[in-house]
Structure formats: structure tokens, C-alpha cells
Amino acid sequence: MAVTYTATVEVTGEGRNGGTARSDDGLLEHRLSIPKPLGGAGDGTNPEQLFAAGWAACFLGALRHAAAQRRIRLTSTDITAEVTLQHGDDGEFTLRATLAPRLGGVDRRTAEELAEAAHRICPYSKAIRGNIPVTIDVTAV
């Protein structure tokens, strides 16, 4: 398989507890912190937010691609991604996610079909398939 693109990010310091994430091209630079509800400073972003942002952007692109393949015109698109960090009784940390795309210009059934197609196309969705619970909550507007 041909390589299309490789993102390189270095995280320094204490990782999610006060570290810094920087991309090799300098376009991404974020201070990392543990969220306040988990007892951290909450003065930086966290890995769950970064994962949600990347996945949402990719998923939205996959939705638009699925629509274009089917010659469906979308009048608007946006998405909210929730990535939840869970701590089980066994002491293990896991993730769960909800993707909530909103698609304009189509009926609910078409929006659901496009979201299902996007979930098959999106590389983030492929990477986590079968590893974490994912809910896709589609709205047609």
C-alpha cells in the first residue's frame, strides 16, 4: 500500500499531565493537561479531545465522500464527537465514543445510510472497529 501522508507529533514532559504536543511542521502545538473533573489543572487540551477532533474531521470528510459517490447533494454538514474515558472496576481505562453528524438537504434514512457508509470508509472508524463501543446518532436537517 502506498503511503499517502504521515503525521509526526512529539509529546514531551509528563504527557497528559502538563506535557506539550508538537507536530514536526509546527502547525500543532498544545499544552496537555488532565481535565479538572479528573483532578487535573484543566489548563490544556487532553488526548481525548485531540482524538475526538481528528476523528470528527475525518468522519465528516468520509460522509461528504460517500455523498459524492452517490451523487447526493448535501446543503450542510457538521458533527459533534464525544470520546469518553472510562475507568472500570477492574482498574483498566477504556474509551467509548459517540459521533453525531448533522446533514442538511437529505431525509433521515439517507442521512443514516451516508453515516453507515462513512463509518466503513473513515480510517479512524476502521482503526477502532471492534475495540471500543461507538454510537452514531445522525440528524437530518
Side-chain angles (χ1 to χ4, degrees):
M1 187 178 289
V3 173
T4 303
Y5 172 73
T6 300
T8 303
V9 174
E10 180 180 69
V11 175
T12 58
E14 298 290 320
R16 72 183 301 128
N17 191 16
T20 302
R22 286 185 193 88
S23 62
D24 63 341
D25 62 7
L27 295 175
L28 176 116
E29 184 168 344
H30 283 281
R31 178 173 163 71
L32 303 171
S33 71
I34 296 172
K36 280 187 178 187
L38 298 179
D43 59 352
T45 192
N46 60 66
E48 293 74 29
Q49 290 171 326
L50 293 169
F51 185 68
W55 193 1
C58 187
F59 196 89
L60 205 54
L63 270 166
R64 296 192 71 76
H65 179 75
Q69 284 181 322
R70 292 160 177 75
R71 296 192 172 117
I72 296 171
R73 184 177 177 278
L74 297 171
T75 58
S76 63
T77 56
D78 63 78
I79 187 168
T80 299
E82 296 177 356
V83 173
T84 301
L85 179 65
Q86 305 176 127
H87 191 208
D89 293 336
D90 59 2
E92 296 291 322
F93 288 98
T94 59
L95 298 174
R96 69 179 158 90
T98 299
L99 300 175
R102 289 168 297 282
L103 306 179
V106 294
D107 61 27
R108 179 157 181 83
R109 181 173 175 221
T110 302
E112 288 172 349
E113 289 171 1
L114 290 173
E116 288 172 15
H119 199 44
R120 288 190 304 272
I121 295 167
C122 174
Y124 279 74
S125 293
K126 289 178 184 179
I128 58 84
R129 186 167 291 123
N131 294 313
I132 68 170
V134 177
T135 301
I136 299 177
D137 185 17
V138 183
T139 302
V141 292

